[in-house]
Amino acid sequence: MQSPAEIVSHAGGVTGVSWLMIALPLFGAAVLLLGGRRTNAWGHFFGVAMSLGAFAVAVVTFVELLGLQPEQRRRDIGLFEFIPGMVDLGMLIDPLSISFALLITGVGSLIHIYSVGYMSHDRDRRRFFAYLNLFVAAMLLLVLSDNYIGLFIGWEGVGLASYLLIGFWQHKPSAATAAQKAFIVNRVGDFGLLIGIFTIWTTFGSLAFADLTHEVAGQASEGTLTAIGLLLLLGACGKSAQLPLQSWLLDAMEGPTPVSALIHAATMVTAGVYLVVRSGAFFEAAPTAQLVVTIVGVATLLAGAIIGCAKDDIKKGLAGSTMSQIGYMMLGAGLGPAGYAFAIGHLITHGFFKANMFLGAGSVMHAMNDEVDMRRYGALFPVMKITAVTFIVGYLAIIGFPLLSGYYTKEGIIETAMHHNQILGWLAVLGAGLTGFYMSRMVFMTFFGKKRWADDAHPHESPAVMTWPLIILAIGSIGLGAFLVLGNRFMNFLSPAVGLPQPADMPEPHVFGVGTAALATLALVAAGAAFAWFRYGAAEVPAVAPRASFLTTFARRDLYGDALNEALLMRPGQWLTRIAVFFDNRGVDGLVNGLAAGIGGTSGRLRRVQTGFVRSYALSILFGAAAVVGALLYVGNI
């Protein structure tokens, strides 16, 4: 394969001030949080402006990067010495990081604008925009850092921002619980990432991406590299809601819908994919770890699709879809350089069509008094045409309808997987068929069929501040995939950061849509959509879910993921806690308290000797003196 380009130090031009991408939203968060109620009247506009400012810097930096030769497109901007003698904090501007920066700031800004309308009646809107700005700043730090320490700081920053945003409506017990669950589950993954970073430092003596190139294979044993890869994967599974750390994502839908669009569709949940691709040198040198990445990806894409098939909550259905689509990305990332471009390409197109659908779901909820049950929707197309059309565009993109964005990027992942491993490839095809079913089910239950509205529901189209972001995202959902994939445009653009694959690692070149895998995928998607129409489009949908079969119940309960975690982790943890408390009370505290009680008891008995009477003391002195004299006489006679 062609190796990535060398990283060169640079401080001039627009790239030299690219730190403003992080500084602007961070400044916005500080102003809105510290300014308090004095910023209520204009805080939301200020938050939007800071996000748009970061986007402008990202665009100009991207244009400057395009003006350079490919081998010069990896620029390191040193900021300051963070840990003396160990880590200097800086930024790495290369095709991979700038792609993420454009997605985070571009889609993020549209979500900020949408939130102006969506949160218009919330009295804490200013605080909400502060948290949004904080999240964008942390996510940008994660993807722009030039070493694992900066990445980890951003990693923890997005975890904090996610906790604050999921639990934003903390007066709802379900929202507070969901925020805690997301925070705790992610700590498990973060622990793996942290141990992985420690292992990298002790093995290679550096945490800078510039020092951790494809030459790591000759600097450590395969066992060590496999351990590093698996630890990094554990961190990725937590942040990207991949098996076995996926349980937090569906509950996280308790947050406001713009949070779901920003964090759980376009940005944070894709951080794990970024970590795997950025750490590609370790995975490519450890085939076992790379294989585990693909297995986790395939298992999650199927699990998320199965869950999505049974959800009546529109946001949780989209959350299951997010799990599944990130599984595709993880599968692509696990295929090495042959799959990197398709994985990141699908990540970018998914950011558009999934944010579009989450915001579309928010528009429907806005019109239906915050109702999320799709069984209480139906026939919304005539009264919400902009929302419906844009949502349907996103739907067609995600199921892989020919010529739309998702078709090109997902098809690239499936064909590359098929070339490497037939089993993985056919399982990915099956996941595509399930996607066709559950996404069609969502569209038919929401926008078509008969009205199943509540008596007080009077649906209407959302205001322009909410519909314009939907239109822009829908446009990106149409043509972005073809632009990135055809002619290997995106693969060549990314090559300075991740390298190019060997020709033997790529599937045979052909026109999209005529290969066996492509035709099988389209057939299964069409079959899934037709079955969904038969069940939920042509047939009447009951307003109350009928009694479900075991398989449907299995899916509705998230494959019993919570029950499994409770049985394997929570209850054993409780027993370990009880044992530790018993040992602490009876062992550690028992020893200390027993010693104190013994001394206290002995002192209590000895104090009785002190009577306070002179005659007692004189008698004691007499007996003592007699004992001393007796002892002296005895010793003298020996």
Side-chain angles (χ1 to χ4, degrees), residues 276-599:
V276 172
V277 174
R278 180 62 82 187
S279 307
F282 297 109
F283 289 98
E284 291 163 34
T288 300
Q290 202 171 39
L291 176 62
V292 174
V293 173
T294 60
I295 292 172
V296 167
V298 166
T300 306
L301 74 87
L302 289 174
I306 292 169
I307 290 171
C309 289
K311 290 295 182 182
D312 292 331
D313 183 317
I314 188 171
K315 288 178 65 177
K316 290 190 176 182
L318 289 172
S321 169
T322 297
M323 276 179 55
S324 182
Q325 297 305 307
I326 297 175
Y328 277 104
M329 301 171 207
M330 200 65 76
L331 170 61
L335 296 173
Y340 289 158
F342 294 119
I344 302 301
H346 193 56
L347 185 152
I348 293 172
T349 57
H350 175 265
F352 276 82
F353 57 68
K354 185 54 66 64
N356 171 27
M357 286 188 287
F358 262 119
L359 296 184
S363 180
V364 171
M365 292 166 57
H366 186 266
M368 297 292 286
N369 301 327
D370 289 327
E371 177 63 69
V372 296
D373 188 352
M374 293 184 291
R375 293 184 180 275
R376 307 298 297 176
Y377 293 165
L380 289 176
F381 189 98
V383 293
M384 303 185 69
K385 291 183 179 178
I386 297 178
T387 297
V389 170
T390 54
F391 192 99
I392 291 170
V393 169
Y395 148 72
L396 293 174
I398 197 173
I399 67 172
F401 191 82
L403 306 182
L404 270 68
S405 286
Y407 169 71
Y408 292 97
T409 52
K410 187 192 293 186
E411 180 63 27
I413 293 172
I414 292 174
E415 291 191 3
T416 306
M418 193 75 74
H419 181 71
H420 283 73
N421 187 306
Q422 291 278 321
I423 296 175
L424 295 177
W426 285 113
L427 289 175
V429 171
L430 175 60
L434 292 174
T435 303
F437 170 74
Y438 71 76
M439 288 306 306
S440 300
R441 172 181 182 269
M442 183 178 295
V443 169
F444 297 148
M445 290 180 70
T446 302
F447 297 107
F448 300 100
K450 296 181 179 179
K451 298 178 182 179
R452 302 180 299 276
W453 310 343
D455 294 337
D456 60 344
H458 303 286
H460 54 278
E461 187 58 89
S462 297
V465 72
M466 294 172 64
T467 55
W468 271 108
L470 296 179
I471 295 171
I472 296 172
L473 290 169
I475 293 173
S477 302
I478 294 173
L480 187 58
F483 176 78
L484 294 176
V485 173
L486 296 182
N488 291 328
R489 183 180 286 109
F490 192 57
M491 181 178 290
N492 293 328
F493 174 71
L494 280 183
S495 62
V498 301
L500 284 174
Q502 295 284 358
D505 294 333
M506 295 293 294
E508 291 295 327
H510 65 274
V511 179
F512 267 85
V514 300
T516 303
L519 294 175
T521 301
L522 289 176
L524 279 180
V525 168
F531 184 59
W533 170 254
F534 176 75
R535 288 290 305 275
Y536 301 99
E540 185 172 348
V541 177
V544 178
R547 185 172 180 175
S549 65
F550 169 76
L551 290 177
T552 303
T553 303
F554 183 61
R556 285 178 179 169
R557 296 189 178 181
D558 306 338
L559 311 185
Y560 292 103
D562 288 337
L564 186 64
N565 288 337
E566 183 177 331
L568 296 181
L569 300 174
M570 191 192 82
R571 295 197 180 282
Q574 287 178 333
W575 280 107
L576 287 174
T577 302
R578 292 189 182 105
I579 293 172
V581 170
F582 177 82
F583 177 76
D584 184 59
N585 290 338
R586 300 298 177 88
V588 179
D589 288 350
L591 178 62
V592 174
N593 294 336
L595 181 62
I599 294 174

Side-chain angles (χ1 to χ4, degrees), residues 77-297:
I77 299 96
L79 298 179
F80 56 87
E81 188 178 43
F82 184 62
I83 303 177
M86 181 178 175
V87 176
D88 293 334
L89 197 64
M91 297 173 58
L92 175 59
I93 304 298
D94 69 357
L96 179 61
S97 63
I98 200 64
S99 297
F100 272 83
L102 288 169
L103 175 68
I104 294 163
T105 57
V107 175
S109 294
L110 291 174
I111 295 170
H112 274 71
I113 294 169
Y114 176 95
S115 300
V116 172
Y118 189 86
M119 301 294 288
S120 60
H121 301 297
D122 196 298
R123 63 179 184 177
D124 290 323
R125 179 168 62 171
R126 180 261 314 164
R127 181 165 57 88
F128 180 76
F129 276 86
Y131 293 162
L132 286 183
N133 272 194
L134 177 63
F135 172 82
V136 169
M139 190 69 198
L140 287 168
L141 175 61
L142 190 161
V143 300
L144 292 174
S145 292
D146 65 353
N147 60 72
Y148 281 102
I149 293 296
L151 181 149
F152 187 74
I153 295 172
W155 193 274
E156 293 301 300
V158 296
L160 170 63
S162 174
Y163 170 78
L164 295 172
L165 286 165
I166 294 170
F168 182 76
W169 288 328
Q170 54 195 317
H171 58 275
K172 296 167 53 181
S174 56
T177 301
Q180 294 170 5
K181 183 176 181 180
F183 193 81
I184 292 170
V185 173
N186 271 274
R187 297 289 71 72
V188 177
D190 294 356
F191 178 76
L193 174 58
L194 193 60
I195 299 301
I197 292 173
F198 289 161
T199 307
I200 293 171
W201 170 256
T202 56
T203 304
F204 302 100
S206 176
L207 295 174
F209 298 138
D211 299 329
L212 302 170
T213 64
H214 286 74
E215 298 175 0
V216 298
Q219 302 176 31
S221 67
E222 185 173 327
T224 299
L225 294 171
T226 300
I228 291 173
L230 293 178
L231 288 167
L232 295 177
L233 176 61
L234 181 60
C237 287
K239 202 65 77 184
S240 291
Q242 299 292 281
L243 292 172
L245 300 179
Q246 83 293 347
S247 61
W248 64 271
L249 182 61
L250 281 89
D251 291 338
M253 298 302 107
E254 290 291 338
T257 302
V259 174
S260 303
L262 178 64
I263 295 181
H264 308 127
T267 52
M268 189 189 87
V269 290
T270 61
V273 181
Y274 170 81
L275 177 64
V276 172
V277 174
R278 180 62 82 187
S279 307
F282 297 109
F283 289 98
E284 291 163 34
T288 300
Q290 202 171 39
L291 176 62
V292 174
V293 173
T294 60
I295 292 172
V296 167

